[in-house]
Amino acid sequence: MEWPEIKGTKILPASDPRRAEEAIRCAATILQTGGVVAFPTETVYGLGADARSATAVQKIFTAKNRPGDNPLIVHVTGMEQVRELVREIPSRAYLLAQHFWPGPLTLVLPKSDLLPAVTTAGLLSVAVRVPDHPLALALIEAAALPVAAPSANLSGSPSPTTAGHVIADLAGRIDAVLDGGDCRVGVESTVLSLLAVPPVLLRPGGVTLERLRTVLEEDIIDLCRNGGEIRGTPPSPGMKYRHYAPSAPLYLVEMGEGQEDRIIALLKDLQARGMRPGLMLTTETAGAFTFPSHFPLEVVGSQKDPKTVARRLYGALRRLDSEAVDVIIAEGLAEEEMGRALMNRLRKAADRVIVAPNAKI
Ligand code: AMP
Ligand code: MG
C-alpha cells in the first residue's frame, strides 16, 4: 500500500474505518523494526518507539529535541504487560488500574532490567499507563511490545491534539503519523508516583486529584500546587522545563476579583506600546466586553466547564501563534478538578503571571 507522505513522513489515515486496519499494521511494523510513529491517545498525540530498544528510543529524543534527562511514559495494553517492566506492583497500583485504566493516569513504579537507561533517562523507576483510545490500544497490541511515547511535539511547544499539529512540528523527523482525528481530553495524563507512601502527584492531568483521593482513601502529596515550582532536585525531571509554550510570550491573568479589569488594563497597555495581542478567553469574559475585532480571539469554553477548555487549550495556543501576535493573553481558571491540570500547563507556558489580588499562594 502506498501512503501519502509529507517530507518523507507517512500519513496513515486511521479515522477512515476501511483503511484503519492497514494503517495500524503499517504503524506496528515501523515500531517492530525500530522506527518512530506518532499516534493518537485520549490525552494528546504520542510519539512512539519500542521501549526495550535503546536505538529506537533515542530516535524519539532526537526527533523532539528532548533533553536526555526527561524520561518517557511507557504505554501498554494492561497490567499483564506492566509485570515485565517493573520489579513490583504495589496493591494500590492494582486498585488505581482497576478504576482508571484504560485512561489518563500514569503510574511511576520501580523498573525492571528489561528497559534500557535511555527510556527512563537513567532513573530506577518507570512511568507506565494504558491509553483509552481504540487506535492506541490496537497499535500496541499489533506491535506486541511496550511503546515508549512522550507527546509528539517539538520539545517545549504546545502538545499536539490533532495529526496536523504533529505534522507541523515533526514532518521529516519521524517515520509516520497515525491520523485518528482530535484528542478527547486534550491535556496530558496525570503522573502519580507510587515509589513512596503516601503517593506523590508529579503532574496533574486527565484524572483529577479529587478522584484519586476518593479511590485511594489516603493522602496524596501534591507537588504541583501553583504550577509545580520545585526547589532543588525535581522528583520528576519534566517539572523543571518550560513546557507547552507557544512562540509568542504568554501572559497569564489568574482568576480572581477584577480579572476582566486586569485583562482590559493589560490590553490597553500593550496597545499603547504598539503591540498586537492575541486573546484566549472563557465564554463568560469574552461575552462581557467588546474587544477590538482586529485582535485574534480564541474562546475556549465556560469557566464552569474546564474539561472543554482543556480539550481546546493547545489548539487555541497554536492558532494564536499562527496569527503572528506579539503577546498572548490567557485567562486563568479556578484551580480545582480539571482546572488544576489547565493551570499547571498555563503556568509552565507563561512568561508572566498576573496574580489575583486575593490569591492564596
Ligand atoms: P510527556 O510524555 O512528554 O508528557 O512527559 C512525561 C512526563 O512523565 C514527564 O513530566 C516526565 O518527567 C514524567 N516521568 C516519566 N517517567 C518518570 C519517572 N520514572 N519518574 C518520574 N517522572 C517521570
Ligand atoms: Mg510532553
Side-chain angles (χ1 to χ4, degrees), residues 20-21 24-25 28 77 131 133-144 178:
E21 207 175 305
I24 289 163
R25 209 172 320 128
T77 52
H133 193 294
L135 289 173
L137 291 172
L139 174 63
I140 305 167
E141 184 98 44
L178 195 61

Side-chain angles (χ1 to χ4, degrees), residues 79 88-98 194 216:
M79 207 40 120
E88 60 168 307
I89 304 178
S91 58
R92 51 173 69 70
Y94 285 105
L95 183 65
L96 291 166
Q98 206 185 344
L194 298 183
L216 282 180

Side-chain angles (χ1 to χ4, degrees), residues 22-51:
E22 249 177 305
I24 289 163
R25 209 172 320 128
C26 175
T29 307
I30 294 172
L31 292 178
Q32 285 167 337
T33 50
V36 285
V37 182
F39 61 97
T41 78
E42 81 281 28
T43 58
V44 302
Y45 273 71
L47 181 61
D50 182 350

Side-chain angles (χ1 to χ4, degrees), residues 44 64 66 70 150-153 155-157 159 188 203 243-244:
V44 302
K64 279 181 61 86
R66 185 175 174 103
N70 195 3
S151 48
N153 53 322
S155 209
S157 74
S159 295
E188 300 81 351
R203 177 173 77 184
H243 265 307
Y244 321 115

Side-chain angles (χ1 to χ4, degrees), residues 57-72 118:
V57 168
Q58 186 51 49
K59 291 180 189 167
I60 295 179
F61 284 89
T62 308
K64 279 181 61 86
N65 244 338
R66 185 175 174 103
D69 65 351
N70 195 3
L72 309 180
V118 62

Side-chain angles (χ1 to χ4, degrees), residues 43-47 64 66 69-75 106-109 111 119-121 123-128 149-153 155 159 188-193 195 202-203 234-241 243-244 345 348:
T43 58
V44 302
Y45 273 71
L47 181 61
K64 279 181 61 86
R66 185 175 174 103
D69 65 351
N70 195 3
L72 309 180
I73 294 171
V74 179
H75 293 68
T106 296
L107 300 176
V108 176
L109 297 166
K111 96 185 232 318
T119 303
T120 61
L123 296 178
L124 297 175
S125 57
V126 59
V128 289
S151 48
N153 53 322
S155 209
S159 295
E188 300 81 351
S189 61
T190 304
V191 180
L192 186 72
S193 170
L195 296 178
L202 298 176
R203 177 173 77 184
S236 181
M239 289 174 136
K240 68 175 184 239
Y241 294 107
H243 265 307
Y244 321 115
R345 306 308 188 266
K348 280 186 192 289

